[in-house]
Amino acid sequence: MSSTAALQDILELVRPELSRMDQELVEDLRPGDPSLGPLLEHVAGYRGKQLRPALVFLTGKMFGEVAEAHYTCAKVVELIHTATLVHDDILDGAVVRRSEATVNELYGNEVPVLLGDYIYALAFHMAVSLDDPTCARMFSAAVRVVCQGEITQCLHRGDTDWNEERYLQVISEKTASLYGAACRVGGHYADASEPQLQALWSFGEQLGIAFQIIDDCLDLTGEESVVGKSLGTDLGLGKLTLPMIHLIGNSGDRRERLLQMITDPQPGRGFEELRQEFDVEASVAYAMGRGREFVEGAVRALAELPEGSARDAIGGLAEYVLRRHY
Amino acid sequence: MSSTAALQDILELVRPELSRMDQELVEDLRPGDPSLGPLLEHVAGYRGKQLRPALVFLTGKMFGEVAEAHYTCAKVVELIHTATLVHDDILDGAVVRRSEATVNELYGNEVPVLLGDYIYALAFHMAVSLDDPTCARMFSAAVRVVCQGEITQCLHRGDTDWNEERYLQVISEKTASLYGAACRVGGHYADASEPQLQALWSFGEQLGIAFQIIDDCLDLTGEESVVGKSLGTDLGLGKLTLPMIHLIGNSGDRRERLLQMITDPQPGRGFEELRQEFDVEASVAYAMGRGREFVEGAVRALAELPEGSARDAIGGLAEYVLRRHY
């Protein structure tokens, strides 16, 4: 079974909830001013794997029925994710996202800065529509942490002293905090206990770290046609991800040569040359092993939570993260 | 008396509140990760006239004592304003802000995108710390409207069919909505009645519209050394502000010539040439007259609110907006 089909299978349990959420988001993204119509429609097409809203629904279902607040939380986390994508594409100079031109490619860099802000504000406004402020508090705190991680990464581009500890700290902030928050709010609005909420956060955080590690591996060894972008993109942007940190750490007396290739790549063929001279695959294998350890940690955190089909599905999601190809 | 001294005089009534707010913001902007330290310190230097937090405190004082919630609201609106400045500087390619280099000038465009997001998230997180969700609801709604106005303006850059009605709509969104919200939350957390809250909103909205009209006039006829940027900046960016809309509407059979000068300006001397051939001053006078009408409307709205020193100060603020030179 392809990893896409496997994911669809896992999400079957919350398919009705995800469909309703999708329909509501189309309504929520209706513009206040008609000029914004084409922009918001374009961005509505960005929604992809829906992992974060699925986590809200699945963690909710672990403790009983999905409540109205879960729909709000699911939409909030999906909108926040969409806003980060719109802004990330500016940072990365990306031209294509999910087979469509990015907003920066279509409109230059100004419109997507504002559009991302608009979507963030929409998400926060939606979050504070709930009487219980937990959703708004969790997600506004999480966005701050996400941005902190992204800024730290940005400020350390091309920093060849970057190490595994700092890398894990940054991905925990920029990626895992939103996963942790999604799982915790799902439990919160289903009246989970505080120890259960902590287990949910721990599950989400470790899943998010694993997700990002695998993402960074796919950037180096995925199939371009499946991943949907050129290999070595992170490297070209000066982002030193876990496999590259490992490669540098194990380059011995060829360290200078490697750093030179990384910091001053030959346009176009730089990454291919690097793969010929250095054992990138071994370092990717190391990073995948680390990713597997975080998935195992996530699965262990699940053991403290109520058994049932929701917990099985969420465990399946963790396994999927390791197997995915895009 | 200079307009700066006049403003200081008007704000005297809320000087202790503004000072405490300033001190608290330094604490609130302390970074979670040390890498962010220099960035956040830099941005802390952006705080300027403090009109928006002053409106929160003054509208609160109209109805009695300033409460703790007013400090939160004042910090939230100042942080939101700071975030919009950080993002605006990217859009405008600005290199200097309040005599300091902009974040985009120092770090490129990526860091300020994320830094603006970080400050927005900090503001929202602060807003939802209050038990009463009004602050968070008002400001998240206002930010959405601000972004909508900015996006509409961006999409219509260089659109010579732009007219006064659309211009007023856009500045009402991008500028006045934050003023309206600042005044309304000030009254809300001082237990003002619904008709009073509506009068406060109306005051703030009209003040904000007037403020933006004057800002747009200063871009054409201010003193560069006082305004702190080159004249004709908006025009160079394709933003057609009220004086230019009026100039185009009254250019008669020289309309084509004017549009040509606007849409294809000669670098450097384009605006000076335009001023020699067309009566820019008359159109600025027209726009200033419209600004005055909005200030008069704002002052009329004040009549429905409790008399006293706070109302006097806030009326003085409205008059200051017309007289200011930067």
Side-chain angles (χ1 to χ4, degrees):
Chain A
M1 184 159 43
S2 77
S3 65
T4 315
L7 179 62
Q8 293 315 309
D9 219 38
I10 293 163
L11 298 184
E12 202 50 42
L13 190 66
V14 286
R15 180 63 49 208
E17 287 82 359
L18 289 171
S19 299
R20 186 184 133 186
M21 179 198 79
D22 261 345
Q23 283 168 13
E24 288 188 14
L25 274 176
V26 171
E27 279 304 306
D28 297 324
L29 283 166
R30 228 172 261 287
D33 185 294
S35 331
L36 276 65
L39 265 179
L40 292 174
E41 273 172 37
H42 185 81
V43 159
Y46 274 12
R47 270 171 283 139
K49 301 190 203 70
Q50 301 182 309
L51 289 184
R52 295 159 194 79
L55 287 172
V56 173
F57 291 129
L58 285 170
T59 50
K61 277 209 171 172
M62 264 191 220
F63 299 89
E65 285 303 293
V66 164
E68 281 305 308
H70 287 101
Y71 287 94
T72 305
C73 295
K75 290 194 292 181
V76 167
V77 72
E78 188 70 352
L79 286 171
I80 288 172
H81 176 56
T82 305
T84 64
L85 292 182
V86 171
H87 281 180
D88 277 354
D89 284 342
I90 307 172
L91 311 188
D92 294 345
V95 295
V96 171
R97 155 92 50 203
R98 309 238 161 86
S99 311
E100 300 260 5
T102 58
V103 181
N104 39 308
E105 180 66 10
L106 292 173
Y107 295 88
N109 279 351
E110 303 172 3
V111 169
V113 170
L114 297 165
L115 182 65
D117 294 350
Y118 177 93
I119 299 171
Y120 272 126
L122 178 61
F124 286 123
H125 191 59
M126 200 177 274
V128 290
S129 70
L130 293 173
D131 287 331
D132 176 338
T134 304
C135 171
R137 287 177 185 169
M138 292 285 294
F139 284 121
S140 55
V143 171
R144 185 148 76 109
V145 172
V146 167
C147 295
Q148 178 175 301
E150 294 253 22
I151 294 171
T152 306
Q153 176 177 273
C154 236
L155 293 174
H156 288 276
R157 280 196 181 179
D159 175 356
T160 47
D161 286 332
W162 201 234
N163 59 35
E164 180 165 336
E165 184 188 345
R166 301 263 2 221
Y167 165 84
L168 288 175
Q169 174 68 26
V170 159
I171 68 171
S172 162
E173 290 172 357
K174 76 168 189 163
T175 307
S177 58
L178 217 47
Y179 279 78
C183 292
R184 197 178 156 117
V185 294
H188 173 84
Y189 288 99
D191 297 323
S193 69
E194 182 56 33
Q196 288 171 328
L197 293 175
Q198 285 173 20
L200 285 167
W201 177 278
S202 171
F203 168 80
E205 190 184 31
Q206 293 182 84
L207 183 69
I209 291 174
F211 186 89
Q212 187 62 56
I213 291 176
I214 311 301
D215 220 50
D216 292 342
C217 290
L218 288 173
D219 183 68
L220 293 172
T221 57
E223 285 180 47
E224 295 201 355
S225 62
V226 180
V227 180
K229 58 174 188 172
S230 310
L231 293 191
T233 301
D234 290 338
L235 203 57
L237 291 166
K239 287 188 205 170
L240 290 184
T241 57
L242 187 53
M244 291 312 296
I245 291 167
H246 181 268
L247 192 62
I248 294 171
N250 290 274
S251 55
D253 55 6
R254 289 191 303 154
R255 185 182 158 94
E256 284 310 313
R257 166 75 183 145
L258 176 58
L259 294 186
Q260 189 206 339
M261 290 183 92
I262 288 172
T263 52
D264 187 20
Q266 308 263 331
R269 62 200 178 89
F271 180 58
E272 211 27 70
E273 268 189 2
L274 197 150
R275 256 157 75 130
Q276 281 163 16
E277 279 193 45
F278 291 89
D279 193 354
V280 173
E281 275 67 24
S283 291
V284 167
Y286 166 79
M288 289 294 291
R290 292 292 281 137
R292 183 173 303 276
E293 286 166 30
F294 282 102
V295 165
E296 286 163 3
V299 170
R300 274 196 301 277
L302 281 186
E304 301 168 45
L305 297 165
E307 282 180 46
S309 57
R311 198 182 83 173
D312 293 346
I314 223 169
L317 209 55
E319 293 298 332
Y320 155 80
V321 161
L322 280 180
R323 287 199 316 269
R324 74 202 183 85
H325 302 303
Y326 76 107
Chain B
M1 183 161 40
S2 77
S3 64
T4 314
L7 179 62
Q8 294 314 311
D9 220 37
I10 292 163
L11 298 185
E12 204 49 43
L13 190 65
V14 286
R15 180 64 49 207
E17 286 83 359
L18 289 172
S19 298
R20 185 184 135 184
M21 179 197 78
D22 260 346
Q23 283 168 11
E24 288 188 11
L25 274 177
V26 171
E27 280 303 308
D28 296 325
L29 282 167
R30 227 172 263 287
D33 185 294
S35 331
L36 274 66
L39 265 179
L40 292 174
E41 272 172 37
H42 184 81
V43 158
Y46 274 13
R47 269 171 284 139
K49 302 190 203 70
Q50 301 182 310
L51 289 183
R52 296 160 194 78
L55 287 172
V56 172
F57 291 129
L58 286 170
T59 51
K61 278 210 170 171
M62 264 193 219
F63 300 89
E65 286 303 293
V66 163
E68 282 304 308
H70 288 103
Y71 287 94
T72 305
C73 295
K75 290 192 292 181
V76 167
V77 73
E78 188 70 351
L79 286 172
I80 288 172
H81 176 55
T82 304
T84 65
L85 293 181
V86 171
H87 281 180
D88 277 356
D89 285 342
I90 306 172
L91 310 187
D92 294 346
V95 295
V96 172
R97 154 92 49 202
R98 308 237 162 86
S99 310
E100 300 260 7
T102 57
V103 181
N104 39 308
E105 180 65 9
L106 292 174
Y107 295 88
N109 279 350
E110 303 172 4
V111 169
V113 169
L114 297 166
L115 182 65
D117 294 350
Y118 178 93
I119 299 169
Y120 272 126
L122 178 61
F124 286 123
H125 191 60
M126 199 178 275
V128 291
S129 70
L130 293 173
D131 286 332
D132 176 338
T134 304
C135 171
R137 286 178 185 168
M138 293 285 292
F139 284 122
S140 55
V143 171
R144 185 148 75 110
V145 171
V146 166
C147 295
Q148 178 175 300
E150 294 253 22
I151 294 171
T152 307
Q153 176 176 273
C154 234
L155 294 175
H156 287 276
R157 281 199 178 175
D159 175 356
T160 50
D161 287 334
W162 201 234
N163 59 36
E164 181 165 335
E165 185 189 346
R166 300 267 357 226
Y167 165 84
L168 289 175
Q169 174 68 28
V170 159
I171 68 170
S172 162
E173 291 173 355
K174 75 168 189 163
T175 307
S177 56
L178 217 46
Y179 279 78
C183 292
R184 197 178 157 119
V185 295
H188 172 84
Y189 288 99
D191 297 324
S193 70
E194 182 56 34
Q196 287 170 329
L197 293 176
Q198 285 173 20
L200 285 167
W201 177 277
S202 171
F203 168 80
E205 190 183 30
Q206 292 181 84
L207 183 70
I209 292 173
F211 186 90
Q212 187 63 56
I213 292 176
I214 311 302
D215 219 50
D216 292 343
C217 290
L218 288 173
D219 183 69
L220 293 172
T221 59
E223 285 179 48
E224 294 201 357
S225 62
V226 180
V227 179
K229 59 174 188 172
S230 310
L231 294 190
T233 301
D234 290 338
L235 204 57
L237 291 167
K239 288 188 204 170
L240 291 183
T241 59
L242 187 54
M244 291 312 297
I245 290 167
H246 181 268
L247 191 64
I248 295 170
N250 290 275
S251 56
D253 56 6
R254 289 193 300 154
R255 183 183 160 93
E256 284 310 312
R257 166 75 182 145
L258 176 58
L259 294 187
Q260 191 207 336
M261 291 182 92
I262 289 172
T263 51
D264 186 20
Q266 308 260 330
R269 63 202 180 86
F271 180 59
E272 212 25 72
E273 268 190 2
L274 195 150
R275 256 156 76 128
Q276 281 163 17
E277 278 193 45
F278 291 89
D279 194 352
V280 173
E281 275 67 23
S283 291
V284 167
Y286 166 80
M288 290 294 291
R290 292 290 281 135
R292 184 173 301 280
E293 286 166 32
F294 281 102
V295 165
E296 286 163 3
V299 170
R300 275 197 302 279
L302 281 185
E304 300 167 45
L305 297 165
E307 282 179 47
S309 57
R311 198 181 81 173
D312 292 346
I314 222 168
L317 208 55
E319 294 298 333
Y320 155 79
V321 162
L322 279 179
R323 288 199 315 269
R324 75 201 182 86
H325 301 301
Y326 76 103

